[in-house]
Amino acid sequence: MGDLLRGILKGAVGPKDNDSRYLLDVHSRDLPGEDTMARYADNDEVDLVVVGAGAGGSVLAQRLARHGWKVVILEAGPFWHPDEDWVSDEAGSHELYWTQKRIIGGSDPISMGSNNSGRGVGGSMVHYAGYCPRFHPSDFHTHSLDGVGADWPITYDDLRPHYERVERELPVAGQDWPWGHPHRYPFSPHPISEMGATLWRGARELGIEMRVGPVGIVNGTFGNRPHCIYRGYCLQGCKVNAKASPYVTHLPDALAHAVEIRANCMVSRVELDDATGHAIGVVYHDEVGGAERLQRARFVAVAGYSIETPRLLLESTSRRFPGGLGNNDDQVGRYVMVQGAAQTAGRFPDELRQYKAPPPEISSEQFYETDRSRGFARGFSIQTVGPLPITWSEHVLADGHWGRALREYMRDYNHWATIGVLNELLPHADNRVTLAEETDPYGLPVARFDFNVGENDQRNMDYSTKVITDILKAAGAQDVLTVHRYAHLVGGARMGSSRDSSVVDPHQRVWGVPNVFVSDGSVCPTQGSANPALTIMALASRLAERMASGAAMQQPEVTRQPVG
Amino acid sequence: MPDFSRPDHLPHLRPDGEPPHSSWLPRHRHGTTPQMIGRYPDYDVLVEVDSWDDATRKVVLARLEPPGPLRFFSEQEEPTLRAFCDTVMAQDSEPRVPVAEFVDDKLAAGRLDGYQFADMPDDRDTWRLVLAGLDESARDGHGKAGFADAEPETREEIIEAFSHGQLSGGSWDRLNVSRAWSVVMRAVLTGFYSHPWAWNEIGFGGPAYPRGFMRLGPVSTLEPFETPGASQEDPVRAVAEGEY
């Protein structure tokens, strides 16, 4: 369907081949089908075993189940029952995060846990804010265009049909999008809060264009998923079922098509048959201290995201791959990226009460592309956010206040509006995941993530912080507070057209292993300044299409020279 | 009454960089706030407790139960822990949000945040070293028996140096002091601002499921149960002039 028609018909056109929205219950948040889902024995050779029930793993499983594949998803975290497990409260949402230990190092260590790591069925999209922008076409060629980063072995056009399909499934709500490849959204933009409006006025003063959305939050009704109630707890797990996550968008349909989700199962390695070079399945623990189990499968998809996917590959040693699966060229775990995510808050005379409405409201990609006059390559996006009290207190602390001064700023909470950036930080080989000496309760080495900000990165962040501060001042802010931070993850098992500079081929298949795929954000060679969730789902959707047709199992047609 | 539309009370905008004494604020009249200081004298988030879902109500109301006893920290560490938590959150009198007990419970339960700096020990060890370091700083720099025995001004001086990563010697040399500050403050702030009394102080709407929020602006940002910050406005005159 053409973009014009899609834009006009809006929510009247539902997604095909995905009934999740009808399978959900209006009155209960539990994932329907848990009690009746298929169960496979370890010795059943299933068609596909997926490691991780997040954005990448869930979409892949749902798609292939629709093609009749027998699929088991192994998830390290719990099987959520949101009515009981999730709360409308910041501190009470601690269990949603991957809080198992990771070691962080480098010159700029990156906070993990609530910042970027999910655990449990639905993955980190359970607690992402909800922004669902696409990557720009330029993101797939940053090396050719701007001489930085890397070129992907695929292009925007390869992903575009899957962006459109996933946007209908979430569904994404927003105004017509003028940046990157201009497009429309299947749902109309949400109303915005007074905080969002205040920031927008500031941007307009400076000639900065902003648009409402794009957010994966239901505006209207969508099958049995209700309208958003604007309670502002998107980052604490949506108890309404209005915000998209695989838990509501793909897993109900997956369970209805004979997918088994085995929760609380920690995978310790991909088991390789050294004689044939094929994986025979994955080894996992279903309890701490429990015996190892092996789930046999024809194909393995690793979908543990940028820290756990490299960790699992590195732990999967064999005679053929003594340094970890697919790591004979020392590429696994390299080029992990985060985005600069500084936030600046401004003080206004009226009570704006920034805790109301979803934290993601309006955004701009006007600064997304390279403009050499700014003094750095690539760019950043601007997005409004609405921190709840604990997050707001960390913001105040970061500006240097504690004690009475902190309490004073905190009492002023309702007068503040917060706006943030996402900087495209460039991929560097030394920003990488390795195995630490310390082990977790399963006896597996924990991941260590080292991160160093580069010179281009720093210039980008300095420039963008000034832009958002200017927006606040133009809006009439009486005082400003800034926090420098990082968000999101991609890379670590990047795709490429040559095995000596990447981990997976253009089909997301691990170089040198015919039946192991990576289906998550770790395959991204660059990250743009877009939030990664939609792209991770679109990549999984594309991979599923090619696995179902068999195209992904053939030798890749290398269409580009390796660069970057 | 003060005029809250003006920002004159914000430390950035004051010549001494300090907030005004809390006596500039109205007396809290309804419900509880820490030290009974607040900006919303007639607002009590707990009035809405019947509108919260069961799971949330259980989690939030548990914070109002009598706190303690400490399980993680020792009797020797307790006075320093309390003095530190009181000073960094400016809790100099009752009613207090039980921050020390929150931190103790988090560490005793091993409810950590999912990351550890490569140049730092485990968060639990960091806490113990910080408390030891605070005592050492009070003893060596100010001749006190321990941090808890120091005058409020001395404690604030030590903590100001801590917040800038400027403490050294003894236990501090086993830590990256700036990172230790962020580790301990993350736990302290979570404890304080997860408490409904703190929500009363700052006028936060609290849990909102299944009710949601409906007043997003621009006409009003106040739900029916919320009250505006106390202001200088004379309600009689405002009504007379048709501003309501």
Side-chain angles (χ1 to χ4, degrees):
Chain A
M1 189 189 314
D3 205 46
L4 176 67
L5 200 55
R6 243 166 38 93
I8 293 169
L9 294 173
K10 291 291 180 199
V13 185
K16 282 188 202 145
D17 300 327
N18 182 349
D19 295 332
S20 292
R21 64 198 185 283
Y22 297 120
L23 292 165
L24 291 162
D25 192 313
V26 177
H27 301 292
S28 159
R29 298 298 168 245
D30 285 355
L31 178 49
E34 183 186 357
D35 295 335
T36 54
M37 75 182 167
R39 301 278 179 180
Y40 300 96
D42 285 353
N43 274 328
D44 282 346
E45 192 192 51
V46 295
D47 295 311
L48 174 70
V49 61
V50 179
V51 183
S58 301
V59 172
L60 184 71
Q62 184 266 339
R63 295 282 198 269
L64 289 173
R66 280 273 181 166
H67 286 279
W69 289 42
K70 285 195 283 185
V71 183
V72 172
I73 306 178
L74 298 173
E75 164 58 45
F79 202 120
W80 297 120
H81 302 102
D83 285 326
E84 296 87 41
D85 297 341
W86 297 355
V87 290
S88 202
D89 181 72
E90 269 187 294
S93 302
H94 191 260
E95 301 304 315
L96 297 181
Y97 315 128
W98 187 288
T99 53
Q100 283 62 30
K101 185 178 285 186
R102 278 97 171 245
I103 307 293
I104 54 171
S107 62
D108 304 275
I110 304 299
S111 304
M112 310 300 289
S114 63
N115 192 35
N116 50 19
S117 302
R119 195 164 193 268
V121 174
S124 51
M125 276 181 82
V126 163
H127 63 81
Y128 82 139
Y131 274 119
C132 285
R134 298 182 188 179
F135 280 16
H136 284 200
S138 66
D139 288 324
F140 298 79
H141 323 257
T142 62
H143 191 270
S144 309
L145 286 175
D146 299 317
V148 296
D151 287 358
W152 296 44
I154 63 173
T155 67
Y156 178 84
D157 287 335
D158 292 315
L159 272 193
R160 180 181 165 190
H162 300 283
Y163 275 140
E164 292 175 353
R165 184 171 174 189
V166 174
E167 282 168 357
R168 276 200 298 278
E169 292 174 296
L170 293 183
V172 183
Q175 289 185 310
D176 291 355
W177 206 247
W179 295 290
H181 170 254
H183 56 274
R184 296 162 189 263
Y185 286 107
F187 269 64
S188 299
H190 283 269
I192 58 167
S193 70
E194 189 57 11
M195 184 202 85
T198 301
L199 297 168
W200 202 348
R201 282 192 285 272
R204 285 174 60 104
E205 283 289 316
L206 300 180
I208 297 170
E209 288 287 332
M210 297 197 81
R211 292 289 183 274
V212 182
V215 292
I217 301 175
V218 177
N219 183 17
T221 54
F222 185 64
N224 291 338
R225 282 175 59 195
H227 196 298
C228 175
I229 61 170
Y230 303 109
R231 81 188 163 116
Y233 285 88
C234 297
L235 276 67
Q236 284 69 34
C238 184
K239 278 184 82 103
V240 182
N241 277 2
K243 189 190 80 176
S245 80
Y247 192 88
V248 294
T249 60
H250 290 84
L251 291 175
D253 193 69
L255 292 195
H257 290 84
V259 171
E260 177 186 354
I261 303 173
R262 221 171 282 161
N264 301 307
C265 289
M266 183 67 185
V267 176
S268 56
R269 66 177 183 274
V270 178
E271 190 75 355
L272 200 70
D273 178 345
D274 266 322
T276 63
H278 281 64
I280 57 173
V282 298
V283 173
Y284 68 98
H285 298 267
D286 58 4
E287 58 181 332
V288 171
E292 284 192 339
R293 294 172 60 177
L294 169 68
Q295 175 63 57
R296 294 185 171 274
R298 284 172 55 222
F299 294 96
V300 174
V302 182
Y305 210 9
S306 291
I307 304 297
E308 296 303 316
T309 287
R311 179 187 178 201
L312 179 58
L313 294 178
L314 292 171
E315 284 168 351
S316 302
T317 55
S318 59
R319 191 166 47 77
R320 284 176 185 246
F321 294 101
L325 196 66
N327 195 34
N328 286 356
D329 289 292
D330 189 25
Q331 291 295 302
V332 171
R334 291 192 180 275
Y335 302 102
V336 178
M337 288 160 271
V338 300
Q339 288 168 329
Q343 294 178 354
T344 300
R347 203 272 179 189
F348 295 90
D350 295 327
E351 287 178 14
L352 302 172
R353 298 192 178 242
Q354 58 178 335
Y355 54 86
K356 299 185 186 193
E361 288 201 285
I362 57 172
S363 57
S364 172
E365 292 178 353
Q366 183 164 325
F367 299 89
Y368 196 106
E369 303 287 343
T370 296
D371 173 351
R372 288 289 177 190
S373 71
R374 300 198 293 249
F376 57 89
R378 304 306 294 162
F380 58 94
S381 58
I382 300 173
Q383 303 178 337
T384 63
V385 290
L388 294 179
I390 295 170
T391 315
W392 171 243
S393 70
E394 288 168 354
H395 190 137
V396 174
L397 178 79
D399 203 83
H401 308 281
W402 56 272
R404 293 193 308 121
L406 178 123
R407 291 272 296 274
E408 192 67 61
Y409 273 110
M410 289 302 298
R411 278 191 292 270
D412 215 42
Y413 175 54
N414 285 336
H415 287 267
W416 290 73
T418 313
I419 189 165
V421 296
L422 291 179
N423 304 94
E424 175 174 352
L425 306 188
L426 300 174
H428 294 289
D430 293 338
N431 289 340
R432 67 184 301 201
V433 171
T434 52
L435 298 181
E437 282 173 18
E438 197 170 332
T439 55
D440 70 5
Y442 296 97
L444 306 170
V446 306
R448 173 181 171 133
F449 177 32
D450 286 283
F451 191 81
N452 311 287
V453 163
E455 202 184 317
N456 191 79
D457 301 338
Q458 192 60 53
R459 281 201 294 264
N460 186 342
M461 292 193 290
D462 292 346
Y463 184 95
S464 63
T465 306
K466 186 173 177 310
V467 171
I468 51 173
T469 306
D470 288 345
I471 288 175
L472 290 169
K473 288 180 177 159
Q478 299 160 303
D479 188 7
V480 293
L481 291 176
T482 301
V483 56
H484 294 280
R485 52 189 287 284
Y486 301 92
H488 304 141
L489 287 166
V490 292
R494 69 174 181 171
M495 67 160 90
S497 34
S498 155
R499 68 177 62 204
D500 56 12
S501 61
S502 59
V503 177
V504 298
D505 70 17
H507 306 313
Q508 294 173 227
R509 186 170 52 162
V510 176
W511 287 108
V513 192
N515 63 338
V516 176
F517 294 82
V518 176
S519 179
D520 62 29
S522 58
V523 303
C524 296
T526 64
Q527 61 176 346
S529 28
N531 316 54
L534 184 81
T535 299
I536 293 169
M537 283 188 153
L539 283 166
S541 176
R542 172 181 176 270
L543 173 61
E545 186 180 82
R546 299 172 71 80
M547 286 178 77
S549 73
M553 287 67 146
Q554 285 144 26
Q555 287 311 309
E557 66 292 1
V558 176
T559 52
R560 294 199 201 185
Q561 290 305 307
V563 284
Chain B
M1 291 291 276
D3 178 359
F4 287 109
S5 70
R6 299 180 54 79
D8 306 348
H9 56 291
L10 297 176
H12 272 168
L13 308 177
R14 297 168 65 81
D16 57 357
E18 295 284 331
H21 188 269
S22 58
S23 59
W24 81 285
L25 291 161
R27 192 171 58 86
H28 202 77
R29 288 184 290 233
H30 194 203
T32 306
T33 72
Q35 294 76 55
M36 296 308 278
I37 300 170
R39 284 271 288 274
Y40 302 86
D42 297 311
Y43 176 63
D44 184 6
V45 70
L46 293 169
V47 165
E48 277 294 295
V49 78
D50 290 340
S51 76
W52 304 347
D53 66 284
D54 291 341
T56 304
R57 184 161 50 223
K58 199 169 142 220
V59 164
V60 175
L61 293 187
R63 297 173 189 150
L64 297 169
E65 296 294 317
L70 301 189
R71 295 185 289 152
F72 177 79
F73 291 105
S74 67
E75 268 180 49
Q76 289 72 38
E77 289 166 326
E78 183 174 345
T80 311
L81 172 71
R82 292 192 185 284
F84 173 72
C85 292
D86 282 354
T87 310
V88 291
M89 288 315 302
Q91 292 207 93
D92 52 6
S93 64
E94 297 295 331
R96 278 186 176 84
V97 170
V99 174
E101 283 85 354
F102 173 90
V103 171
D104 179 85
D105 182 59
K106 176 183 165 77
L107 298 176
R111 218 166 40 242
L112 306 184
D113 295 338
Y115 56 99
Q116 177 184 323
F117 293 99
D119 56 357
M120 289 278 287
D122 184 277
D123 286 3
R124 287 164 286 208
D125 299 326
T126 298
W127 267 96
R128 291 220 147 96
L129 286 167
V130 164
L131 297 186
L134 290 170
D135 281 339
E136 291 160 18
S137 295
R139 202 166 46 233
D140 303 342
H142 303 274
K144 301 292 175 184
F147 183 75
D149 302 303
E151 316 299 318
E153 295 73 25
T154 308
R155 291 188 208 168
E156 288 179 9
E157 194 180 313
I158 294 171
I159 287 177
E160 180 67 11
F162 184 16
S163 75
H164 289 102
Q166 290 165 345
L167 295 172
S168 60
S171 303
W172 297 116
D173 289 346
R174 296 167 63 191
L175 292 167
N176 176 320
V177 179
S178 299
R179 285 180 185 150
W181 171 250
S182 83
V183 167
V184 296
M185 286 307 287
R186 205 163 62 225
V188 165
L189 292 173
T190 302
F192 191 87
Y193 287 105
S194 61
H195 201 284
W197 294 350
W199 302 342
N200 285 345
E201 178 187 6
I202 68 174
F204 171 57
Y209 177 80
R211 179 203 57 219
F213 291 124
M214 60 178 178
R215 305 275 169 81
L216 310 181
V219 176
S220 170
T221 58
L222 285 177
E223 306 300 313
F225 68 92
E226 292 176 326
T227 62
S231 83
Q232 228 171 13
E233 211 161 35
D234 173 357
V236 177
R237 188 177 55 82
V239 170
E241 294 177 5
E243 288 176 27
Y244 276 17

